[in-house]
Every structure is written in C-alpha cells, then in structure tokens.
Amino acid sequence: PQKPFQTKLVLLGEAAVGKSSVVLRFVQNDFQENKEPTIGAAFLTQKCRLEDRLIKFEIWDTAGQERFHSLAPMYYRNAQASAVIYDVTKASSFEKAKSWVKELQRQANPNIVIALVGNKIDLLNETTAEAGEEEEDETATANESTPSGDSARAVPKDEAEAYAKEGGLLFFETSAKTGEGVVEVFTEIAKKIPID
Ligand code: GDP
Ligand code: MG
C-alpha cells in the first residue's frame, strides 16, 4: 500500500467564477446550480492516483470577494500548487486571474505549480473546432443571432493559452456543470508536483 503524497493546493479567482463548483465536481462529482458563496475559505481533500504515485490534495477553496483578499497569503504561502480560475464569459475575471498569477509569482513558493483555468465553457454556443472552420467569415458569424440565454465567449482561448505558456502555467478550460476538463486540471497538476 502506497502512502499518499500530500499536496497543498489553493484555489484563487474572482467571486462567482466557479472555484467551489470545480472543487465540488472534483471531490464529489456533483454540481449545484445555485451554490452559496464561500465565506473565508473551505477545506477539502481528494486523492488522485497517478501511474507511479498517489497524491492527496489538501484543497483550500478561498472566497473571491475583495474583502477577503488580505487572507489569501495565508492560504498560498505554503501551497505547492494553485488553480487560478476565471469565467470564460467574463473578461474582468480573466484580468483578476492575471493579477492573482502575478501575486503568486511574486509572493508564493517559487516552485509552486500554477494552473490557469477558464471555467463555464458549457455556456458557450460554440461548435467544436473542425477542419476549415477557422476560414469562416468572422463578421457573418458575429451577426448570426444567438438563442437567448446563451452567453458569448469573452476570453479568447488562444489569448489565455498564450498568456499561460509565457508564464509557464498549465492551462485548461473546464465546466464544473458538465464536468468537462475538471479531473484533468488536478491530474496534470499532480504530475507536475516534484516528489522529494
Ligand atoms: P466561486 O465564488 O468562485 O466559488 O463560484 P461558485 O462555485 O460559488 O459558482 C458561482 C455560480 O456559478 C453558481 O451559481 C454556480 O452554480 C455557477 N457555476 C459554477 N461553475 C459553473 C459552470 O461550469 N457552468 C455554469 N453554467 N455555471 C457554473
Ligand atoms: Mg466559492
């Protein structure tokens, strides 16, 4: 029997981007449509089995509200990993994510593994990329009416991906609602945690 390797992970990001929902999906494979906001921070654990080792994530799910910002260093100070989350339909949340990344790069453990995560992709009315789709006339696409209730993408995937690459961050897009991409976030982080 393998002894799990403990990894402290902190979730950061603007309020309502889905931090608690991503953790809930990862830990309980569940989703709540009207999740109550986190006060202060919540603590959860979940094991993640890799081919060669077992990782036990100790997850600090922080509150996104500005009034809790001063508490964040307590949670990221000793963290080996961080998932910085934004909402793909909300540009301001991407700006906030970038400021969290900067803060981590300046103040956190220099070896911290950071994942940038664009959540709520289920809200996008995009078709999956097919060969030749990029050739489509952009203006024609933009003028098409979209069914009401659909949100448009506010953060281009390639822009976020390029930002992540430049900063040496892992990058994912997820939906806590459908579960798409969520396990991958934690598995890829786990793979990058050095064992020593
Ligand atoms: P937090 O403040 O970052 O922890 O965000 P929450 O997890 O509390 O989520 C805020 C709201 O967004 C809740 O109403 C969630 O149900 C909703 N939500 C979270 N993730 C998703 C997602 O992937 N898709 C959709 N459609 N809604 C989501
Ligand atoms: Mg929360």
Side-chain angles (χ1 to χ4, degrees):
Q2 228 174 352
K3 186 176 169 292
F5 187 83
Q6 307 204 339
T7 297
K8 200 176 144 190
L9 180 147
V10 62
L11 281 149
L12 297 167
E14 193 173 88
V17 296
K19 297 179 293 300
S20 300
S21 299
V22 166
V23 189
L24 184 67
R25 174 60 74 187
F26 177 55
V27 173
Q28 288 177 19
N29 197 18
D30 192 12
F31 179 75
Q32 293 168 4
E33 204 63 59
N34 290 299
K35 200 148 174 26
E36 69 288 354
T38 312
I39 304 297
F43 180 74
L44 300 98
T45 65
Q46 176 66 304
K47 292 190 183 114
C48 182
R49 185 174 293 284
L50 299 181
E51 257 174 47
D52 58 336
R53 60 189 144 138
L54 186 61
I55 298 260
K56 184 186 175 197
F57 279 114
E58 301 179 329
I59 304 169
W60 285 100
D61 170 22
T62 66
Q65 293 87 347
E66 211 45 53
R67 66 196 153 105
F68 294 116
H69 191 127
S70 59
L71 298 178
M74 276 199 322
Y75 300 106
Y76 65 64
R77 198 162 291 141
N78 304 308
Q80 287 104 317
S82 177
V84 179
I85 305 189
Y86 64 93
D87 174 346
V88 293
T89 71
K90 199 173 171 205
S92 68
S93 72
F94 182 55
E95 295 309 311
K96 184 66 196 174
K98 290 198 275 191
S99 86
W100 277 121
V101 168
K102 272 195 209 113
E103 182 166 338
L104 288 173
Q105 289 174 334
R106 276 196 215 121
Q107 323 256 34
N109 172 349
N111 303 319
I112 191 167
V113 175
I114 305 174
L116 180 67
V117 180
N119 187 42
K120 306 200 186 183
I121 53 169
D122 60 281
L123 294 175
L124 306 175
N125 51 340
E126 289 174 346
T127 50
T128 31
E130 277 166 44
E133 201 188 46
E134 292 89 316
E135 316 299 326
E136 259 176 47
D137 181 10
E138 296 264 329
T139 41
T141 315
N143 287 336
E144 268 168 31
S145 63
T146 55
S148 61
D150 269 356
S151 303
R153 178 185 279 278
V155 183
K157 186 176 184 180
D158 52 0
E159 185 186 327
E161 207 162 18
Y163 172 80
K165 195 173 177 192
E166 197 182 326
L169 321 173
L170 293 167
F171 174 72
F172 306 91
E173 286 195 337
T174 60
S175 166
K177 186 168 181 171
T178 66
E180 190 177 349
V182 173
V183 171
E184 287 80 352
V185 173
F186 294 89
T187 311
E188 294 307 312
I189 288 174
K191 286 183 190 165
K192 284 196 74 178
I193 300 293
I195 359 172
D196 49 319

